[in-house]
Amino acid sequence: MGKRVGVLMGGWGEEREISLKSGEAVVAALESRGHHVTRIFAGPGLDRALRAAELDVAFIALHGRMGEDGRVQGLLELLELPYTGSGVLASALAMNKPFAKKLFRLHNLPTPQGYRVGRDDAARAPQLHGDLGFPCVVKPACGGSSVGLSVVREPQELAQAVAQACRFGGEVLVERFVSGREVTVGILGDAVLGSCEVATPREGFDFEAKYKGGARYFLPPRLSATRVANVEALALAAYRALGCRGYARVDLLCSDTDNDVVLEVNTLPGFTPTSLLSKIAGHAGLDFPELVERILALATRDEAGILDAPEVTPAPVVDEPRRAVS
């Protein structure tokens, strides 16, 4: 028998429209597999909507802030509802790119050198830049879909690029620019599903290239088999370093000097039949409904050890006598 699945879509951030497309694609795939699906539009009152739906499991089709960063995952934990994708901590760490980079380095995983800039320090970015050099990449510290990303080539352009990226979360990551092939690796469960090279007419796989065309895809990447194996091993190590589970997509750069670097881990990547993860799955022999089914089967939640905690009883409300006003 099919499960009662709530597909969480929409959300609060700048990736709402992408999330709605992902959500509708997931709904269609789940219904084709015989599940009973309820659309849950994330926003104010999400907790009430989840309680009222009486679900067996939640399929999270949210992207970016307030959906991919551990907050919705925390709500689902409190509701004791299994959900797809990574848990609270891994979601939060992966979304915060500066913290993720610290963990990559702790696990000896190569990642571009960079620094963090807060909204209040945007005007001081040229002084903070030091010897990082140009060109450099400026992007929101917590975000996805390459929203707010730009490649800065001249020192006089840096402050404006930082201020622009600060609009999406208030904190920015500035990284050394690495020239090379952009490769993304799909992970399902605790194993590599495959990899894909993304070639764009512009430097940087930005929002325009991702969702408005112009990109070309190569499965497998145009690299030697040995190097592809190395890139995929790096991706799996990054996934494990953050404590991810379920599925993810890891973005890397394979530079012209044969050095491969990890950029970020996307715990809830774009999810339509034409998205990068779907392309990788198709090349591996999984059609979109089967991929969705496999991800649903991996849904779980953190075991926090709170099942024996006593029920919380609200304290009675006692009306205090009003004081006379003299």
Side-chain angles (χ1 to χ4, degrees):
M1 293 181 62
K3 295 182 178 179
R4 295 173 298 174
V5 186
V7 177
L8 277 64
M9 64 177 82
W12 299 259
E14 52 277 354
E15 297 179 67
R16 174 180 170 81
E17 293 305 315
I18 305 302
S19 170
L20 291 172
K21 292 180 180 179
S22 292
E24 290 298 338
V26 170
V27 167
L30 289 172
E31 289 180 339
S32 75
R33 304 283 295 194
H35 296 289
H36 308 285
V37 184
T38 301
R39 293 170 176 81
I40 305 291
F41 295 98
L46 175 59
D47 58 330
R48 296 189 296 273
L50 287 167
R51 287 189 177 95
E54 298 183 349
L55 305 171
D56 295 320
V57 60
F59 196 113
I60 306 178
L62 299 168
H63 307 310
R65 291 181 291 156
M66 293 295 289
E68 197 171 348
D69 57 7
R71 300 187 215 193
V72 167
Q73 289 79 2
L75 171 61
L76 294 167
E77 292 286 348
L78 292 175
L79 296 176
E80 299 184 6
L81 185 64
Y83 55 93
T84 56
S86 292
V88 177
L89 181 58
S91 298
L93 290 172
M95 176 56 65
N96 191 306
K97 295 179 180 67
F99 275 93
K101 290 172 76 70
K102 290 180 181 180
L103 281 172
F104 296 156
R105 293 193 180 100
L106 184 65
H107 287 80
N108 295 318
L109 300 175
T111 188
Q113 181 182 353
Y115 61 94
R116 183 171 53 182
V117 184
R119 187 193 305 273
D120 295 339
D121 292 323
R124 294 182 54 243
Q127 289 75 44
L128 298 172
H129 196 74
D131 61 355
L132 192 67
F134 294 89
C136 65
V137 178
V138 176
K139 54 189 174 184
C142 299
S145 293
S146 299
V147 174
L149 180 146
S150 61
V151 177
V152 176
R153 302 192 172 281
E154 301 295 337
Q156 62 269 25
E157 300 171 358
L158 181 60
Q160 181 179 354
V162 169
Q164 174 71 14
C166 278
R167 295 173 53 215
F168 307 99
E171 192 171 69
V172 169
L173 175 64
V174 182
E175 285 184 322
R176 184 184 299 279
F177 179 83
V178 178
S179 177
R181 299 180 189 273
E182 300 192 35
V183 175
T184 189
V185 178
I187 296 176
L188 183 62
D190 198 40
V192 171
L193 190 58
S195 53
C196 173
E197 178 189 344
V198 182
T200 64
R202 301 183 295 277
E203 289 180 313
F205 189 34
D206 59 11
F207 186 90
E208 296 290 323
K210 280 186 178 181
Y211 300 111
K212 297 188 178 181
R216 293 184 298 153
Y217 308 98
F218 299 91
L219 295 100
R222 295 172 296 176
L223 301 167
S224 69
T226 300
R227 195 165 181 195
V228 169
N230 178 67
V231 168
E232 292 179 347
L234 279 177
L236 186 58
Y239 173 90
R240 291 172 174 170
L242 298 180
C244 298
R245 69 178 184 223
Y247 73 107
R249 204 194 74 224
V250 184
D251 296 337
L252 306 95
L253 274 171
C254 302
S255 80
D256 300 331
T257 55
D258 290 341
N259 293 318
D260 306 319
V261 294
V262 178
L263 295 179
E264 61 185 84
V265 176
N266 303 278
T267 55
L268 294 176
F271 211 75
T272 69
T274 59
S275 68
L276 289 173
L277 185 63
S278 303
K279 291 178 187 294
I280 292 170
H283 190 259
L286 288 177
D287 64 16
F288 186 71
E290 177 63 21
L291 174 62
V292 171
E293 185 73 52
R294 292 273 295 274
I295 289 172
L296 182 67
L298 293 167
T300 185
R301 61 186 182 88
D302 296 331
E303 295 297 332
I306 60 171
L307 297 181
D308 295 330
E311 292 287 336
V312 177
T313 303
V317 178
V318 178
D319 291 330
E320 295 184 359
R322 296 183 179 179
R323 296 181 179 180
V325 178
S326 56

